[in-house]
Amino acid sequence: MLTTTQEQQLHLTTRRLDTHPIDVLIVGATGSGKTTTLQALLPKKLRKRANKHPTLPDMKKMHAYRIHPHLRMWEPIPPDSLTLKNEQLYEKEIINTLQYAYPYKDNHYAFIDMVVIVIDGSSRDIGTAINLINHTLLPYFPIERIVVAINQADRAMKGRHWDTLLNEPYPPLQHYLIHQANTIKHRLSASCSESFPTPIYYSARYHYHLQVLLDALIDTLPTEKRKIVLS
């Protein structure tokens, strides 16, 4: 799935950071398409056995996906029911994961290097994304390591103006997606008091713009380890 250039950049980053692989946490509202995204990014031969519990003791409530030898993505196991208590436990699990650290040369460094937050492009409600960013991510994680991605581009206009032969948007939907991305950027920036880049948009179901999503990940690769101060 990764291009040669993307693989080279990824390899250079792991060598520079002396870390292997880069670990990415994917979060978002229920139904936004996190699992579908991860399945789409996986090499075909791995898709049928992707959902494996990791052996790391502090990551037992996660599914691990090895996108590439140098890139691993983690998905929190969602709650069985959407009660307030379960949502709070889910957010707490994300926070614990962001603070999970490993020892390295007399210091402790964060296990999670980057975060992808997936927004449902078929819905106008981004309240869950704003809440996750404000209360779960930003207090514990730097904004420059967060990628905002809008999934379900094919359903952004309730399925209209989507080319089912080429699996890409017709011009009216393309214009809508650009406008939607800019609108979400401004709403996130205003609500979170941070300057966000324009989110990328894609369709995991139809593998549309997956390379754009991977480009965003590569462009956001960290330049240094994230040090954690243990209390």
Side-chain angles (χ1 to χ4, degrees), residues 43-197:
K44 289 184 179 179
K45 61 183 179 181
L46 298 179
R47 288 175 189 167
K48 290 184 179 180
R49 55 186 179 89
N51 286 336
K52 299 293 184 183
H53 290 288
T55 56
L56 297 168
D58 289 350
M59 304 293 280
K60 286 293 186 181
K61 296 182 180 180
M62 300 278 163
H63 287 315
Y65 296 75
R66 198 65 174 250
I67 306 300
H68 182 272
H70 295 294
L71 180 63
R72 179 171 53 188
M73 299 186 73
W74 299 86
E75 179 189 19
I77 298 174
D80 295 329
S81 58
L82 296 179
T83 64
L84 177 59
K85 182 178 180 180
N86 281 344
E87 288 181 3
Q88 291 172 341
L89 291 173
Y90 177 72
E91 292 176 5
K92 184 178 179 181
E93 187 61 36
I94 292 174
I95 293 171
N96 290 340
T97 303
L98 295 177
Q99 295 180 309
Y100 179 36
Y102 65 93
Y104 178 83
K105 293 183 179 179
D106 300 324
N107 286 304
H108 283 82
Y109 294 93
F111 181 79
I112 295 297
D113 301 297
M114 299 166 57
V115 171
V116 174
I117 180 165
V118 179
I119 295 176
D120 180 0
S122 67
S123 172
R124 294 180 180 273
D125 180 19
I126 64 168
T128 299
I130 290 173
N131 181 67
L132 271 173
I133 292 171
N134 267 335
H135 301 108
T136 310
L137 298 182
L138 289 182
Y140 308 96
F141 202 79
I143 187 174
E144 62 269 17
R145 294 179 182 233
I146 299 174
V147 173
V148 181
I150 307 168
N151 188 21
Q152 305 192 75
D154 54 296
R155 296 176 56 197
M157 296 182 73
K158 298 183 179 180
R160 300 194 307 272
H161 305 300
W162 181 259
D163 188 333
T164 55
L165 294 178
L166 296 178
N167 287 331
E168 63 182 29
Y170 286 117
L173 177 55
Q174 181 77 53
H175 295 153
Y176 178 85
L177 291 168
I178 293 171
H179 174 73
Q180 182 188 49
N182 285 320
T183 299
I184 288 177
K185 169 190 174 179
H186 294 308
R187 285 188 62 187
L188 290 178
S189 298
S191 300
C192 304
S193 301
E194 294 282 358
S195 180
F196 281 86

